[in-house]
Amino acid sequence: MRLAVLGDVHGNAFALRAVLDDIAAAAADEVLNLGDAVWGAADPATAWALQQEHAPPSVRGNTDERVAGLRDGKAALRDWLLPLLPPGAARTLGALPTTLDTAGGEVRVAHGSPRSPWEDLLLTQDGERTRPATRPELRERLGDFAGRVVVVGHTHWEMLSVVDGVTVVNAGPVSRQKDGLPLARWVLLTRRAGVWNAEFRRTPYDTEAAAAWARAHGPAGVGVREAAQLLSGKEA
C-alpha cells in the first residue's frame, strides 16, 4: 500500500501542481490532505479547484477554521479570499473532521495534532524558544491511538519520531517552507510486509511565477510578503 500525504497548500496552485504530478508518478493508492488548503495568495481559487479534483482536504487545518469563520483574526486576508472561492467552500472546510483514520486504522492523519489543528505535535513552545516535544508530551498529544503511523503538518518542518511503537511524521508543506529551500513537500508512506516506511519528497516548482501572481493579485501588503517568502523558502 502506498499513501501520498500532502498538506499546507496555503492557496499555492503553482506548488500544488508540481506535487500532484509527482504523486501521480508515484502511483499512490490514496491521497490524503492535511488541510490549510487556501489561506494564501498564489492563486488560491485554482489551488482549491485542483484539490477538489485530485486531493480534497481530509482534515481541517487551523487556517481552514479562519476561512470558515470559526476563528477570528486576519480579516483582511479572509475578506480578499472568500469572493475568489466557490459558494460553500468555507462551509466545506469548516465541516471537516480534525482526524481521519485509514489503512484499516493503522494510519491517522491530523493537521496540527490529533487534539487540535492549532497544536504542534512534535514541537513545544517553552517560554521564548521552541524545542522538540518530550516523549511524555507526545504520548499525551497522541491520545488513545492504537495504530502504527500518525502524520501531521502545521509546523512547516519535516520531522520524524517514534514513541511507543508509533511512527510520528511531520510532513513538509506544499507551500511556505521555512528552511530556506523553496521546494514543495509531501510524504509517501509505503507498507511492505506489515512495516510502514515514510519517505519525505521534495519537488521543485516555478517559484518566480507563484511570487509574481501573489504580487500582482494578492491583497495589499500580504501579496508582497508572500512573494518574498515563496522565493526565499524562509519563514517571514
Side-chain angles (χ1 to χ4, degrees), residues 106-119:
E106 292 191 8
V107 177
R108 173 169 289 180
V109 296
H111 179 72
S113 86
R115 301 194 304 189
S116 168
W118 296 83
E119 180 179 57

PDB file of all heavy atoms in Angstrom, residues 106-119:
ATOM      1  N   GLU A 106      -4.562   1.730  10.737  1.00  0.00           N
ATOM      2  CA  GLU A 106      -3.130   1.775  11.041  1.00  0.00           C
ATOM      3  C   GLU A 106      -2.550   3.174  10.921  1.00  0.00           C
ATOM      4  O   GLU A 106      -1.519   3.468  11.534  1.00  0.00           O
ATOM      5  CB  GLU A 106      -2.356   0.816  10.135  1.00  0.00           C
ATOM      6  CG  GLU A 106      -2.638  -0.651  10.410  1.00  0.00           C
ATOM      7  CD  GLU A 106      -1.669  -1.573   9.688  1.00  0.00           C
ATOM      8  OE1 GLU A 106      -0.682  -1.080   9.099  1.00  0.00           O
ATOM      9  OE2 GLU A 106      -1.905  -2.790   9.704  1.00  0.00           O
ATOM     10  N   VAL A 107      -3.179   4.030  10.117  1.00  0.00           N
ATOM     11  CA  VAL A 107      -2.643   5.375   9.862  1.00  0.00           C
ATOM     12  C   VAL A 107      -3.693   6.410  10.261  1.00  0.00           C
ATOM     13  O   VAL A 107      -4.860   6.308   9.872  1.00  0.00           O
ATOM     14  CB  VAL A 107      -2.269   5.555   8.382  1.00  0.00           C
ATOM     15  CG1 VAL A 107      -1.789   6.979   8.119  1.00  0.00           C
ATOM     16  CG2 VAL A 107      -1.203   4.542   7.976  1.00  0.00           C
ATOM     17  N   ARG A 108      -3.258   7.390  11.030  1.00  0.00           N
ATOM     18  CA  ARG A 108      -4.122   8.512  11.412  1.00  0.00           C
ATOM     19  C   ARG A 108      -3.490   9.802  10.894  1.00  0.00           C
ATOM     20  O   ARG A 108      -2.277  10.005  11.034  1.00  0.00           O
ATOM     21  CB  ARG A 108      -4.298   8.582  12.924  1.00  0.00           C
ATOM     22  CG  ARG A 108      -5.057   9.825  13.415  1.00  0.00           C
ATOM     23  CD  ARG A 108      -5.443   9.720  14.880  1.00  0.00           C
ATOM     24  NE  ARG A 108      -6.508   8.717  15.044  1.00  0.00           N
ATOM     25  CZ  ARG A 108      -7.054   8.404  16.214  1.00  0.00           C
ATOM     26  NH1 ARG A 108      -6.638   8.999  17.323  1.00  0.00           N
ATOM     27  NH2 ARG A 108      -8.011   7.492  16.270  1.00  0.00           N
ATOM     28  N   VAL A 109      -4.307  10.675  10.327  1.00  0.00           N
ATOM     29  CA  VAL A 109      -3.812  11.980   9.883  1.00  0.00           C
ATOM     30  C   VAL A 109      -4.571  13.074  10.631  1.00  0.00           C
ATOM     31  O   VAL A 109      -5.738  12.921  10.986  1.00  0.00           O
ATOM     32  CB  VAL A 109      -3.944  12.183   8.359  1.00  0.00           C
ATOM     33  CG1 VAL A 109      -3.072  11.187   7.602  1.00  0.00           C
ATOM     34  CG2 VAL A 109      -5.390  12.078   7.895  1.00  0.00           C
ATOM     35  N   ALA A 110      -3.875  14.164  10.886  1.00  0.00           N
ATOM     36  CA  ALA A 110      -4.438  15.358  11.514  1.00  0.00           C
ATOM     37  C   ALA A 110      -3.645  16.540  11.000  1.00  0.00           C
ATOM     38  O   ALA A 110      -2.599  16.370  10.359  1.00  0.00           O
ATOM     39  CB  ALA A 110      -4.367  15.265  13.036  1.00  0.00           C
ATOM     40  N   HIS A 111      -4.107  17.738  11.298  1.00  0.00           N
ATOM     41  CA  HIS A 111      -3.348  18.906  10.826  1.00  0.00           C
ATOM     42  C   HIS A 111      -2.223  19.257  11.790  1.00  0.00           C
ATOM     43  O   HIS A 111      -1.046  19.183  11.446  1.00  0.00           O
ATOM     44  CB  HIS A 111      -4.254  20.110  10.619  1.00  0.00           C
ATOM     45  CG  HIS A 111      -3.492  21.312  10.155  1.00  0.00           C
ATOM     46  ND1 HIS A 111      -2.967  21.406   8.880  1.00  0.00           N
ATOM     47  CD2 HIS A 111      -3.120  22.463  10.798  1.00  0.00           C
ATOM     48  CE1 HIS A 111      -2.305  22.540   8.757  1.00  0.00           C
ATOM     49  NE2 HIS A 111      -2.391  23.212   9.902  1.00  0.00           N
ATOM     50  N   GLY A 112      -2.581  19.680  13.015  1.00  0.00           N
ATOM     51  CA  GLY A 112      -1.562  20.057  13.990  1.00  0.00           C
ATOM     52  C   GLY A 112      -1.216  18.918  14.920  1.00  0.00           C
ATOM     53  O   GLY A 112      -0.079  18.476  15.010  1.00  0.00           O
ATOM     54  N   SER A 113      -2.216  18.419  15.621  1.00  0.00           N
ATOM     55  CA  SER A 113      -2.113  17.214  16.430  1.00  0.00           C
ATOM     56  C   SER A 113      -3.489  16.566  16.429  1.00  0.00           C
ATOM     57  O   SER A 113      -4.475  17.205  16.041  1.00  0.00           O
ATOM     58  CB  SER A 113      -1.662  17.532  17.856  1.00  0.00           C
ATOM     59  OG  SER A 113      -2.763  17.861  18.683  1.00  0.00           O
ATOM     60  N   PRO A 114      -3.608  15.311  16.883  1.00  0.00           N
ATOM     61  CA  PRO A 114      -4.941  14.711  16.955  1.00  0.00           C
ATOM     62  C   PRO A 114      -5.891  15.461  17.876  1.00  0.00           C
ATOM     63  O   PRO A 114      -7.107  15.305  17.765  1.00  0.00           O
ATOM     64  CB  PRO A 114      -4.655  13.298  17.484  1.00  0.00           C
ATOM     65  CG  PRO A 114      -3.266  12.996  17.013  1.00  0.00           C
ATOM     66  CD  PRO A 114      -2.553  14.318  17.142  1.00  0.00           C
ATOM     67  N   ARG A 115      -5.366  16.316  18.758  1.00  0.00           N
ATOM     68  CA  ARG A 115      -6.223  17.043  19.700  1.00  0.00           C
ATOM     69  C   ARG A 115      -6.744  18.358  19.149  1.00  0.00           C
ATOM     70  O   ARG A 115      -7.829  18.802  19.513  1.00  0.00           O
ATOM     71  CB  ARG A 115      -5.461  17.311  21.009  1.00  0.00           C
ATOM     72  CG  ARG A 115      -4.971  16.068  21.701  1.00  0.00           C
ATOM     73  CD  ARG A 115      -4.534  16.332  23.120  1.00  0.00           C
ATOM     74  NE  ARG A 115      -3.505  17.363  23.253  1.00  0.00           N
ATOM     75  CZ  ARG A 115      -2.864  17.634  24.387  1.00  0.00           C
ATOM     76  NH1 ARG A 115      -3.162  16.946  25.486  1.00  0.00           N
ATOM     77  NH2 ARG A 115      -1.941  18.572  24.432  1.00  0.00           N
ATOM     78  N   SER A 116      -5.956  19.012  18.273  1.00  0.00           N
ATOM     79  CA  SER A 116      -6.350  20.334  17.803  1.00  0.00           C
ATOM     80  C   SER A 116      -5.563  20.716  16.556  1.00  0.00           C
ATOM     81  O   SER A 116      -4.347  20.466  16.483  1.00  0.00           O
ATOM     82  CB  SER A 116      -6.090  21.382  18.890  1.00  0.00           C
ATOM     83  OG  SER A 116      -6.203  22.702  18.368  1.00  0.00           O
ATOM     84  N   PRO A 117      -6.217  21.360  15.564  1.00  0.00           N
ATOM     85  CA  PRO A 117      -5.483  21.862  14.397  1.00  0.00           C
ATOM     86  C   PRO A 117      -4.467  22.944  14.758  1.00  0.00           C
ATOM     87  O   PRO A 117      -3.579  23.247  13.954  1.00  0.00           O
ATOM     88  CB  PRO A 117      -6.587  22.435  13.501  1.00  0.00           C
ATOM     89  CG  PRO A 117      -7.849  21.826  13.967  1.00  0.00           C
ATOM     90  CD  PRO A 117      -7.667  21.604  15.437  1.00  0.00           C
ATOM     91  N   TRP A 118      -4.594  23.523  15.948  1.00  0.00           N
ATOM     92  CA  TRP A 118      -3.729  24.631  16.352  1.00  0.00           C
ATOM     93  C   TRP A 118      -2.531  24.180  17.175  1.00  0.00           C
ATOM     94  O   TRP A 118      -1.647  24.983  17.480  1.00  0.00           O
ATOM     95  CB  TRP A 118      -4.539  25.647  17.157  1.00  0.00           C
ATOM     96  CG  TRP A 118      -5.619  26.298  16.352  1.00  0.00           C
ATOM     97  CD1 TRP A 118      -6.868  25.799  16.098  1.00  0.00           C
ATOM     98  CD2 TRP A 118      -5.540  27.540  15.658  1.00  0.00           C
ATOM     99  NE1 TRP A 118      -7.575  26.657  15.292  1.00  0.00           N
ATOM    100  CE2 TRP A 118      -6.786  27.739  15.009  1.00  0.00           C
ATOM    101  CE3 TRP A 118      -4.547  28.507  15.527  1.00  0.00           C
ATOM    102  CZ2 TRP A 118      -7.053  28.871  14.240  1.00  0.00           C
ATOM    103  CZ3 TRP A 118      -4.835  29.634  14.754  1.00  0.00           C
ATOM    104  CH2 TRP A 118      -6.055  29.806  14.125  1.00  0.00           C
ATOM    105  N   GLU A 119      -2.472  22.912  17.532  1.00  0.00           N
ATOM    106  CA  GLU A 119      -1.410  22.420  18.412  1.00  0.00           C
ATOM    107  C   GLU A 119      -0.305  21.743  17.611  1.00  0.00           C
ATOM    108  O   GLU A 119      -0.559  20.909  16.744  1.00  0.00           O
ATOM    109  CB  GLU A 119      -1.993  21.406  19.410  1.00  0.00           C
ATOM    110  CG  GLU A 119      -0.955  20.829  20.367  1.00  0.00           C
ATOM    111  CD  GLU A 119      -1.561  19.853  21.355  1.00  0.00           C
ATOM    112  OE1 GLU A 119      -2.181  18.855  20.911  1.00  0.00           O
ATOM    113  OE2 GLU A 119      -1.443  20.090  22.565  1.00  0.00           O
TER     114      GLU A 119
END
